[in-house]
């Protein structure tokens, strides 16, 4: 579904991605793990056209997308939940959700989808008119994921959804990611520092170091890999 | 204490504040989205007044002899369209190429654009003051109030109020308004939900320019004369109003403008009209010392 071929991304003169290649198949949950500063977020931002790669190719359903603008990529169904959640702080919960559906015009469908996420996250319905910036971290993460769902993603990119959340909430969030993947057949690309949890729900995984992919395998193999265990699982 | 005099000053202050508010909104909206002080904004206001003057001239010469008010409306509409085109072009030429440059560069570009526009109008028109025709008739129903508000003032107040309502509706409920707010609050996320940020920025410049042109036409028909330099002082005052209310904050710009207008007329009326500008800028200094973020300049605290 998505094929990233040797992309190199720069911030000014600093090269953040040296040569990243990866493949995501339809229906999968694929995770990308690695330390802080390895280039995981940059990989996502490159796919989304926010920091377009200087070299290399990104193919989505066989078509190159690396030259498209961010909004054109969104319109293809590639939706990102960025690190730090990026809730619009002065907009209400409802308005945040509506922004997720910015490129859609089917009013009735949007309304149905909002009801749908309220069913999934009842707490958001309770807070529907509250400003997004006043929600707790866990609520904001739920809102961020819901907002992405409002775009009806075919490929959902999640950047550190567990960051800064309580263990119980983290468990809930991972459960929801699994559900989204299973129920609506949404392909998920999950970037995580919480390698243990991420590998448990993923089908396949990539390990990233210093702007390059160093390992690739089925998730259960990575979980039992000695190197991965030592470096990322704290065992 | 003479309450009639006080009320008269208050009315004058609100009228003045209305004009400042219309211009200040353009400053604050642009700043809110791209953190740029668009110093050429005052010139858009001046261009608006000039276009209106030219249109009224043409209409008068061509013998279009309806009531003055309809001439004014027609002139204002054309001035607004012109100013919108100027604002759009200004952003495209002077600011868009510098989108990723250090913040000082677009600021310098803004000052350059301001000087260019002022001189351009001076060159193709004239540096002298030109008389602007009196187009607002004396309304009969204004007779009892004429001591406090003239007919022109009334038109200014009504037009400003209607414009504010329209702007509020636009920002709160329309798609482009929501996109503007989203872009202001988080530009990266705005792109990630599919908002074309360049288009939002263009729209912001267009809306700001429309408001400035309305202000230009209104003030021209009040003072009865314009020249190519009127944008400078008006621009600085409106900028002061925007900072006073908290730059980037839309209700703040209106509040700041009203406070500024009233402070000016009160200072002029009770102390000395020679020091009008001193009161305006003195107030700014005071606010910056006591409330550096401006009157309403306080963002909602965000949990992380």
């Amino acid at each position: 579904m998505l094929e990233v071929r040797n992309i190199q991304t720069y911030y000014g003169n600093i090269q953040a991605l040296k040569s990243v290649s990866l493949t995501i198949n339809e229906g999968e949950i694929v995770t990308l793990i690695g330390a802080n500063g390895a280039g995981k977020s940059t990989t996502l931002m490159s796919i989304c056209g926010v920091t377009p790669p200087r070299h290399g190719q990104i193919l989505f359903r066989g078509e190159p997308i690396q030259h498209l603008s961010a909004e054109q990529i969104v319109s293809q169904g590639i939706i990102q939940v960025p690190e730090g959640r990026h809730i619009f702080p002065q907009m209400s919960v409802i308005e945040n959700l509506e922004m997720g559906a910015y490129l859609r015009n089917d009013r009735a469908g949007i309304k149905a989808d909002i009801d749908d996420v309220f069913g999934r996250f009842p707490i958001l319905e309770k807070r529907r008119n509250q400003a997004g910036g006043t929600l707790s971290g866990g609520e904001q993460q739920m809102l961020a994921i819901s907002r992405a769902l409002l775009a009806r993603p075919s490929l959902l990119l999640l950047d550190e959804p567990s960051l800064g959340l309580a263990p119980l909430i983290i468990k809930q969030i991972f459960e929801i990611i699994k559900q989204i993947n299973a129920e609506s057949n949404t392909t998920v690309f999950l970037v995580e520092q919480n390698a243990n949890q991420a590998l448990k729900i993923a089908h396949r995984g990539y390990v990233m170091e210093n702007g390059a992919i160093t390992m690739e395998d089925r998730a259960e193999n990575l979980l039992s890999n000695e190197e991965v265990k030592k470096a990322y699982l704290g065992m | 204490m003479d309450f009639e005099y006080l009320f008269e000053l208050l009315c004058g202050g609100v009228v003045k504040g209305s004009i400042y508010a219309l211009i200040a909104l353009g400053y604050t909206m642009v700043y809110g989205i791209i953190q740029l002080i668009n110093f050429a904004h005052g010139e858009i206001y001046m261009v608006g007044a000039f276009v209106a003057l030219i249109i009224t001239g043409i209409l008068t010469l061509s013998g279009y002899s309806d009531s003055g008010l309809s001439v004014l409306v027609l002139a204002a509409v054309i001035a607004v369209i012109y100013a919108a085109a100027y604002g759009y072009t200004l952003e495209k030429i002077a600011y868009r190429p510098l989108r990723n440059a250090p913040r000082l560069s677009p600021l310098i570009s803004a000052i350059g654009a301001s000087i260019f526009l002022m001189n351009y109008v001076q060159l193709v028109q004239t540096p002298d003051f030109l008389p602007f025709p009196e187009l607002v008739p004396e309304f009969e129903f204004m007779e009892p109030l004429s001591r406090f508000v003239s007919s022109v003032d009334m038109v200014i107040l009504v037009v400003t109020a209607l414009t504010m309502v329209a702007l509020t509706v636009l920002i709160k409920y329309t798609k482009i308004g929501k996109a503007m707010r989203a872009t202001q609050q988080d530009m990266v996320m705005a792109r990630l939900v599919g908002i074309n940020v360049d288009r939002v920025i263009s729209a912001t410049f267009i809306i700001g320019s429309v408001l400035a042109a309305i202000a230009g036409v209104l003030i021209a028909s009040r003072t009865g004369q314009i020249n190519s330099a009127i944008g400078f002082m008006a621009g600085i005052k409106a900028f002061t109003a925007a900072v006073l209310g908290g730059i980037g904050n839309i209700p703040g710009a209106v509040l700041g403008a009203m406070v500024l207008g009233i402070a000016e007329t009160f200072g002029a009326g009770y102390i000395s009209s020679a020091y009008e500008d001193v009161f305006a800028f003195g107030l700014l200094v005071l606010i910056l010392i006591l409330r550096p973020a401006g009157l309403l300049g306080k963002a909602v605290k965000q949990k992380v």
Side-chain angles (χ1 to χ4, degrees):
Chain A
M1 182 180 217
L2 185 83
E3 204 184 334
V4 176
R5 284 187 192 158
N6 297 317
I7 57 165
Q8 300 179 27
T9 301
Y10 291 76
Y11 291 112
N13 290 322
I14 299 160
Q15 187 170 15
L17 299 185
K18 286 180 184 139
S19 175
V20 174
S21 300
L22 47 87
T23 310
I24 299 164
N25 302 312
E26 187 129 29
E28 273 187 318
I29 299 182
V30 176
T31 184
L32 177 64
I33 58 178
N36 243 341
K40 307 188 299 291
S41 297
T42 306
T43 305
L44 289 193
M45 287 301 181
S46 297
I47 294 171
C48 290
V50 175
T51 57
R54 200 176 285 181
H55 305 289
Q57 255 197 326
I58 302 173
L59 303 175
F60 184 62
R61 298 194 159 129
E63 301 288 327
I65 59 165
Q66 73 272 16
H67 295 307
L68 298 184
S69 66
E71 69 269 11
Q72 284 169 320
I73 291 171
V74 170
S75 72
Q76 306 241 336
I78 302 178
I79 310 297
Q80 186 187 167
V81 180
E83 181 182 348
R85 308 181 278 268
H86 285 261
I87 296 303
F88 297 115
Q90 277 121 287
M91 288 182 144
S92 68
V93 167
I94 278 274
E95 283 179 320
N96 266 284
L97 292 173
E98 284 168 359
M99 290 321 291
Y102 183 76
L103 292 179
R104 290 171 60 185
N105 287 314
D106 53 327
R107 271 167 174 268
I110 293 169
K111 214 192 154 288
D113 284 4
I114 289 180
D115 289 339
D116 192 56
V117 299
F118 280 164
R120 212 189 277 271
F121 305 107
I123 186 74
L124 293 183
E125 181 160 29
K126 250 169 71 185
R127 306 227 186 282
R128 55 186 296 156
N129 293 318
Q130 210 171 310
T134 64
L135 302 189
S136 74
E139 290 162 357
Q140 284 194 0
Q141 190 61 59
M142 292 174 198
L143 178 55
I145 293 174
S146 303
R147 180 177 57 190
L149 290 179
L150 260 291
R152 293 235 171 120
S154 45
L155 173 60
L156 183 64
L157 312 175
L158 295 153
D159 196 352
E160 305 267 11
S162 73
L163 194 74
L165 301 182
L168 208 66
I169 311 227
I170 294 182
K171 220 178 133 197
Q172 213 182 330
I173 296 278
F174 278 106
E175 206 47 54
I176 288 157
I177 295 169
K178 242 170 94 174
Q179 265 177 33
I180 291 169
N181 173 253
E183 284 168 19
S184 44
N185 194 33
T186 307
T187 310
V188 175
F189 186 40
L190 172 65
V191 163
E192 259 299 341
Q193 283 200 59
N194 193 335
N196 189 24
Q197 294 269 16
L199 287 170
K200 271 186 191 149
I201 65 162
H203 302 108
R204 289 190 304 117
Y206 289 87
V207 178
M208 191 167 202
E209 261 171 66
N210 293 324
I213 302 283
T214 52
M215 239 186 275
E216 172 198 352
D217 210 334
R218 298 203 56 78
E220 58 266 27
N221 295 347
L222 286 175
L223 263 176
S224 57
N225 181 300
E226 286 305 319
E227 260 178 82
V228 174
K229 266 187 181 172
K230 217 160 80 185
Y232 301 106
L233 301 176
M235 286 186 250
Chain B
M1 197 165 166
D2 183 355
F3 282 105
E4 255 187 40
Y5 185 55
L6 182 101
F7 190 64
E8 193 187 321
L9 290 179
L10 191 66
C11 289
V14 172
V15 170
K16 218 167 182 187
S18 303
I19 299 289
Y20 290 156
L22 286 172
I23 313 172
L25 282 166
Y27 275 109
T28 226
M29 282 163 58
V30 165
Y31 185 88
I33 288 183
I34 52 173
Q35 282 78 49
L36 164 78
I37 307 290
N38 175 18
F39 275 116
H41 190 56
E43 269 54 60
I44 300 284
Y45 152 93
M46 176 267 295
V47 166
F50 261 93
V51 172
L53 176 66
I54 294 166
I55 299 300
T56 52
I58 293 172
L59 288 178
T60 315
L61 280 178
S62 65
Y64 178 87
S65 63
D66 213 338
S67 72
L69 214 50
S70 70
V71 172
L72 186 66
V73 170
L74 192 56
V77 168
I78 295 171
V80 157
I81 293 167
Y82 251 84
Y86 266 90
Y88 173 81
T89 315
L90 174 72
E91 192 271 328
K92 211 148 194 174
I93 293 175
Y95 307 136
R96 186 163 300 182
L98 299 170
R99 190 64 50 75
N100 297 315
R103 272 179 70 179
L104 199 55
S105 313
L107 194 71
I108 302 293
S109 183
I111 294 170
S114 164
I115 295 172
F116 172 81
L117 281 175
M118 204 190 305
N119 284 279
Y120 163 71
V121 172
Q122 213 173 86
L123 207 65
V124 297
Q125 299 296 328
T126 163
D128 302 325
F129 271 101
L130 296 172
F132 196 91
E134 274 180 41
L135 295 168
V136 181
E138 291 297 324
F139 300 124
E140 259 174 58
F141 65 90
M142 289 296 298
E143 199 71 45
L145 287 172
S146 62
R147 195 177 156 209
F148 306 111
V149 235
S150 67
S151 294
V152 185
D153 291 349
M154 200 60 200
V155 169
I156 291 178
L157 291 175
V158 170
V159 170
T160 306
L162 290 177
T163 310
M164 300 286 168
V165 172
L167 182 69
T168 309
V169 170
L170 179 98
I171 288 176
K172 258 199 131 84
Y173 301 111
T174 65
K175 194 153 189 169
I176 186 70
K178 285 182 187 175
M180 283 168 70
R181 279 190 289 150
T183 308
Q184 181 189 351
Q185 291 173 29
D186 193 327
M187 196 181 284
V188 170
M189 193 61 226
R191 295 177 67 187
L192 287 176
V193 297
I195 293 171
N196 184 334
V197 170
D198 278 338
R199 205 173 295 164
V200 168
I201 293 170
S202 289
T204 309
F205 272 85
I206 288 173
I207 294 167
S209 303
V210 164
L211 300 178
I214 293 174
V217 177
L218 291 175
I219 199 71
S221 45
R222 183 171 195 252
T223 57
Q225 54 172 13
I226 58 172
N227 80 347
S228 57
I230 58 166
F232 178 72
M233 204 29 139
I236 298 264
K237 287 281 177 67
F239 170 61
T240 304
V243 173
L244 207 60
I247 189 103
N249 184 311
I250 290 178
V254 178
L255 177 68
M258 290 301 166
V259 170
L260 189 73
I262 292 168
E264 272 189 17
T265 48
F266 272 52
Y270 281 120
I271 304 167
S272 162
S273 58
Y275 293 114
E276 200 180 65
D277 296 343
V278 175
F279 300 121
F281 298 123
L283 184 67
L284 177 68
V285 171
L286 208 66
I287 292 282
L288 287 180
I289 291 169
L290 299 176
R291 271 190 78 92
L295 293 172
L296 299 185
K298 203 173 151 208
V300 176
K301 269 238 169 79
Q302 193 188 1
K303 283 188 192 165
V304 185

